[in-house]
Amino acid sequence: MKKIILGATGIEVTELCFGALPMGPLQKNMTINESAEVVAEALRLGITFIDTAQAYKTYAPIRLAMEQTGMRPVIATKSTASTYEDMEAAIWEARENLGLDVIDIFLLHAARVENDVFETRRGALECLLDYKRKDVIRAVGISTHVVQTVRAAAENSDIDIVFPLLNKTGMGILGGKREDMEHAVNECFARHKAVYLMKALAGGTLIGDYIDSMDYARNFAKERAAIAVGMVSPEEVRMNVQYFNGVDISEQAGKLTKSAKRFYIVPSLCKDCGSCAKACHSGMINGSPPVIDDSGCLRCGYCVAACPQFAIRMI
């Protein structure tokens, strides 16, 4: 599998990054052993890059897979912490639960926050930078869906790596269209920022157009960026690895259908508190009482974690 160097970080990874969100409690809610089996298959087939987050609650299966295979991939994680103290706790949580002394990549988890994020979360960023100076973190960055935030990250000397949303339809991009995000990401490349892309399949909504969607992402990346793809079964891992290794998977891809998963707010449980709408990264929860607009929902499941009444279910 092709490997790339992430910007000026010196960190080498496979072009295909294993996305750990879907297997966790925000989506599929697989057991630790089931999840570890999928991660272990990815490692055995050569994937050397895993993306996770404090909110995904997938540290345990990643650690188990590393123990089972004896393989140590590059790991990127992230936290929504805004203060120094909360980010410090997130760093220690990641180290302890992953069983690692060093976290390769640690990001500000800020999907919808505008470009003032570097001020509003200054304490958290300072913490990441301090731990980078202590050699506990190798690279510091941000994950975002917002065009203006990507542009701000390109100009921010503290940011090593950017994890932006980009897919061929532009679904989920905030603050602009696909072309605007392309320009913003190209600004990052021009300033030698490391980049890896999220949501190339728009949370599964483009799975029925797998090859064209992945071809778009890879052609845009031009071996300058890795591409994170969520996976929940060994079969998915094998198909993705085959595609990235240049194997013709037309027959397999032709059998793929749009993800049937969707999220539903149970009216009898909802207290109309607004937490889900604030957490929604694609702005698809509106109204009072709230309703999820499936047409633009990225199926990330962040609303599930935000709901204090446990009123949102995946169906």
Side-chain angles (χ1 to χ4, degrees), residues 12-171:
E12 184 181 61
V13 298
T14 45
E15 183 187 10
L16 173 58
C17 171
F18 181 96
L21 166 62
M23 67 185 185
L26 296 185
Q27 290 196 19
K28 193 76 171 178
N29 199 24
M30 296 161 59
T31 68
I32 290 176
N33 286 334
E34 289 171 336
S35 298
E37 179 185 357
V38 180
V39 178
E41 181 73 354
L43 297 179
R44 293 188 187 104
L45 291 179
I47 296 175
T48 66
F49 190 15
I50 295 176
D51 173 76
T52 184
Q54 183 182 33
Y56 299 173
K57 301 189 184 303
T58 52
Y59 291 157
I62 294 171
R63 177 174 183 167
L64 180 57
M66 289 192 291
E67 292 171 349
Q68 290 173 342
T69 63
M71 298 176 179
R72 166 62 162 96
V74 170
I75 294 178
T77 190
K78 39 193 146 6
S79 172
T80 59
S82 58
T83 67
Y84 190 105
E85 294 75 17
D86 286 347
M87 185 59 83
E88 188 170 42
I91 293 169
W92 280 95
E93 178 185 339
R95 295 175 74 197
E96 291 174 2
N97 290 346
L98 288 166
L100 300 174
D101 292 326
V102 176
I103 303 297
D104 303 291
I105 298 166
F106 216 116
L107 310 176
L108 295 173
H109 201 168
R112 293 190 67 185
V113 184
E114 298 292 342
N115 59 350
D116 64 351
V117 63
F118 301 115
E119 293 305 318
T120 59
R121 296 192 184 173
R122 190 67 205 174
L125 180 56
E126 287 293 347
C127 180
L128 292 178
L129 295 172
D130 280 350
Y131 275 81
K132 180 184 174 185
R133 285 187 281 267
K134 295 174 184 177
D135 295 322
V136 172
I137 294 171
R138 297 174 64 190
V140 169
I142 187 167
S143 67
T144 180
H145 297 188
V146 183
V147 171
Q148 293 82 357
T149 305
V150 175
R151 289 180 179 144
E155 298 173 358
N156 190 319
S157 61
D158 289 333
I159 299 301
D160 305 309
I161 185 164
V162 183
F163 186 30
L165 183 153
L166 184 61
N167 56 64
K168 75 168 195 171
T169 66
M171 184 175 178

Side-chain angles (χ1 to χ4, degrees), residues 4-7 186 189 193-195 219-226:
I4 64 171
I5 302 296
L6 290 173
N186 279 324
F189 289 139
K193 302 291 185 182
V195 174
N219 289 336
F220 173 79
K222 296 177 182 175
E223 300 184 19
R224 301 170 297 178

Side-chain angles (χ1 to χ4, degrees), residues 262-276 285 289-292 301-315:
R262 58 186 290 265
F263 292 97
Y264 173 72
I265 301 174
V266 180
S268 62
L269 299 177
C270 177
K271 300 298 183 183
D272 198 9
C273 66
S275 297
C276 58
I285 301 181
V291 175
I292 299 173
Y302 287 10
C303 58
V304 177
C307 179
Q309 305 299 324
F310 303 102
I312 305 177
R313 310 292 165 81
M314 186 173 75
I315 57 176

Side-chain angles (χ1 to χ4, degrees), residues 190-222:
R191 290 172 170 81
H192 307 291
K193 302 291 185 182
V195 174
Y196 67 114
L197 305 177
M198 73 169 88
K199 299 290 190 293
L201 296 173
T205 61
L206 298 177
I207 192 70
D209 198 13
Y210 177 93
I211 291 179
D212 283 349
S213 297
M214 297 306 296
D215 282 353
Y216 161 76
R218 294 183 80 191
N219 289 336
F220 173 79
K222 296 177 182 175

